[in-house]
Amino acid sequence: MALWDRVKESASTMQTQLVAKKNDLKSGAFRDASMAMCALVAAADGTVDPSERQRVTQLISANEVLQNFSADDLRRRFEEYLDKLTADFDFGKVSVLQEIAKAKKKPAEARAVIQIGIVIGGADGDFDKDEQAVVREACFALDLPPHEFDL
């Protein structure tokens, strides 16, 4: 199986697992950590072009698990985290990882945040090394072993 096919299959599997847990994923900490993760993955290479920003915004709006929350609220939070990362990536990353770490109190939510990162990263069929690296860092922030997610 080609790498691209494995990435698509993995993202699809993660999305299916997330949908199964949808009713357990309604807290503010999960919402904020998820949007922080989306922004971190979008800015993983240090830049965010307008098409990438638009693509991630559309994915957030269409994601069934995130429909527990207002789409406008999610978009606003995503943009705020993205602004922090684009203003100063290294400083912004510290702040965004702290936001992600707030989800570690509930293991199911922590795992779901990582899965959302993988879904967003793999949505274009290329879960690249930069994206994998920031999701791996998020695993450490959430006290989750990266190998659990094949990272």
Side-chain angles (χ1 to χ4, degrees), residues 75-94:
R75 203 170 6 265
R76 182 183 56 76
R77 291 172 192 280
F78 168 69
E79 293 290 340
E80 285 174 9
Y81 295 128
L82 211 48
D83 289 346
K84 287 182 182 182
L85 290 162
T86 54
D88 181 337
F89 184 75
D90 292 329
F91 185 71
K93 185 165 75 165
V94 170

Side-chain angles (χ1 to χ4, degrees), residues 9-150:
E9 186 178 303
S10 177
S12 175
T13 300
M14 296 283 178
Q15 181 62 27
T16 301
Q17 291 170 354
L18 284 168
V19 169
K21 295 182 232 167
K22 178 181 178 181
N23 292 332
D24 299 329
L25 304 172
K26 295 182 177 177
S27 77
F30 171 72
R31 175 201 59 215
D32 296 349
S34 296
M35 292 305 93
M37 175 61 87
C38 289
L40 188 60
V41 170
D45 64 0
T47 62
V48 182
D49 61 61
S51 66
E52 186 174 22
R53 184 182 291 249
Q54 181 63 31
R55 183 176 54 81
V56 175
T57 300
Q58 287 172 340
L59 288 168
I60 290 167
S61 298
N63 190 297
E64 188 178 340
V65 176
L66 297 173
Q67 288 175 2
N68 286 329
F69 309 103
S70 151
D72 289 338
D73 187 34
L74 293 175
R75 203 170 6 265
R76 182 183 56 76
R77 291 172 192 280
F78 168 69
E79 293 290 340
E80 285 174 9
Y81 295 128
L82 211 48
D83 289 346
K84 287 182 182 182
L85 290 162
T86 54
D88 181 337
F89 184 75
D90 292 329
F91 185 71
K93 185 165 75 165
V94 170
S95 173
V96 168
L97 284 169
Q98 288 173 339
E99 197 61 52
I100 289 169
K102 291 179 184 177
K104 73 178 164 185
K105 293 175 190 155
K106 295 182 181 176
E109 290 184 357
R111 283 180 174 77
V113 168
I114 297 301
Q115 290 172 322
I116 283 176
I118 293 168
V119 168
I120 295 295
D124 62 358
D126 180 28
F127 188 37
D128 67 40
K129 292 197 182 314
D130 291 330
E131 292 166 339
Q132 290 177 34
V134 295
V135 174
R136 193 176 307 111
E137 285 183 67
C139 284
F140 293 126
L142 291 165
D143 294 333
L144 294 172
H147 69 270
E148 182 179 326
F149 304 93
D150 294 326

